[in-house]
Amino acid sequence: QSVLTQPPSVSGAPGQRVSISCTGSSSNIGTGYDVHWYQQFPGTAPKVLIYGNSNRPSGVPDRFSGSKSGTSASLAITGLQAEDEADYYCQSYDRNLSGSNYVFGTGTKVTVL
Amino acid sequence: QVQLVESGGGVVQPGRSLRLSCAASGFTFSNYDMDWVRQAPGKGLEWVAVILYDGSNNYYADSVKGRFTISRDNSKNTLYLQMNSLRAEDTAVYYCAKNLASNRGGYFDYWGQGTLVTVSS
């Protein structure tokens, strides 16, 4: 049971902008823990896309951007391209009465129409 | 370049044990926390366990606590996951991941290719 909620799917035409939400709570994102985003193609390992809420590793195109506010975060893809069709996961850290651990979002499949 | 290569996956009967390994290269292994993350077929990512850079502490997801043990050998640049009392719901691809920890929560900057564990009679 993921503690970070994402929409199951989003879609858009090439060139459009799409956004993926990641909703958490006061025990994770709302506490101030960073949010990170991963891209995963079928049959391959995830790759970090955004770290520390809004930072892109070298090699990640600037059409990918991240933001965080309150208990939520968002990943935006502007100028959607066919090769962006993949699964996307947010990730943060959660601290509650039963302990602390890393948590992932439920995942979002991006489809390019 | 950073490389993480998992091994040890396979088919195992419920209740039996399996040990996964992850050979690391291309970075100073003993300087970084390391994690295991799994993904059941057709499902999302689930964090499993973390071990601190010097092996002094480890933490587990509730779903594996008491059954799985994460360990490391810094002299061999290798991470391990001992999995006991395996259940059908442990069936997944298991990834090892390098952890860039911080006081704002860490993230996984490099991942292995994964190794498939299937628990079935």
Side-chain angles (χ1 to χ4, degrees):
Chain A
Q1 305 85 328
S2 300
V3 298
L4 304 180
T5 302
Q6 301 177 230
S9 63
V10 299
S11 61
Q16 284 190 329
R17 178 185 186 277
V18 297
S19 178
I20 302 170
S21 60
C22 174
T23 302
S25 69
S26 58
S27 66
N28 42 69
I29 299 174
T31 297
Y33 292 119
D34 286 343
V35 177
H36 320 284
W37 292 89
Y38 302 87
Q39 179 188 56
Q40 186 182 34
F41 296 105
T44 69
K47 180 191 88 167
V48 62
L49 201 62
I50 297 288
Y51 68 92
N53 305 315
S54 59
N55 302 292
R56 283 186 310 275
S58 67
V60 172
D62 60 6
R63 64 178 183 274
F64 294 95
S65 63
S67 63
K68 173 190 155 184
S69 178
T71 58
S72 296
S74 290
L75 173 72
I77 310 174
T78 55
L80 192 65
Q81 297 187 7
E83 63 254 37
D84 299 333
E85 189 161 290
D87 294 323
Y88 294 81
Y89 295 90
C90 60
Q91 176 252 311
S92 187
Y93 192 78
D94 187 270
R95 175 165 285 176
N96 55 51
L97 291 176
S98 64
S100 305
N101 51 39
Y102 295 93
V103 289
F104 286 96
T106 48
T108 299
K109 180 172 180 56
V110 169
T111 301
V112 182
L113 302 172
Chain B
Q1 72 281 20
V2 172
Q3 275 202 309
L4 299 170
V5 180
E6 301 95 336
S7 61
V11 181
V12 61
Q13 293 179 328
R16 303 298 290 264
S17 300
L18 204 61
R19 188 176 87 152
L20 305 182
S21 300
C22 171
S25 61
F27 66 103
T28 305
F29 182 70
S30 57
N31 284 357
Y32 294 93
D33 300 350
M34 294 293 296
D35 296 64
W36 288 98
V37 177
R38 69 183 180 183
Q39 186 170 35
K43 302 296 184 183
L45 300 170
E46 180 188 15
W47 174 78
V48 172
V50 61
I51 185 167
L52 299 192
Y53 66 99
D54 59 359
S56 61
N57 245 321
N58 44 49
Y59 303 92
Y60 300 90
D62 288 344
S63 57
V64 306
K65 203 173 293 183
R67 300 187 300 123
F68 288 13
T69 302
I70 188 172
S71 62
R72 65 192 297 161
D73 185 336
N74 284 348
S75 68
K76 295 182 178 178
N77 290 347
T78 303
L79 175 72
Y80 302 100
L81 185 68
Q82 177 67 42
M83 305 185 294
N84 298 332
S85 303
L86 282 162
R87 306 167 179 166
E89 54 264 36
D90 296 319
T91 294
V93 173
Y94 285 74
Y95 297 101
C96 70
K98 175 174 168 284
N99 185 328
L100 275 185
S102 77
N103 58 6
R104 293 165 63 91
Y107 72 99
F108 312 111
D109 61 339
Y110 288 94
W111 299 63
Q113 86 287 351
T115 187
L116 176 62
V117 173
T118 303
V119 183
S120 172
S121 54

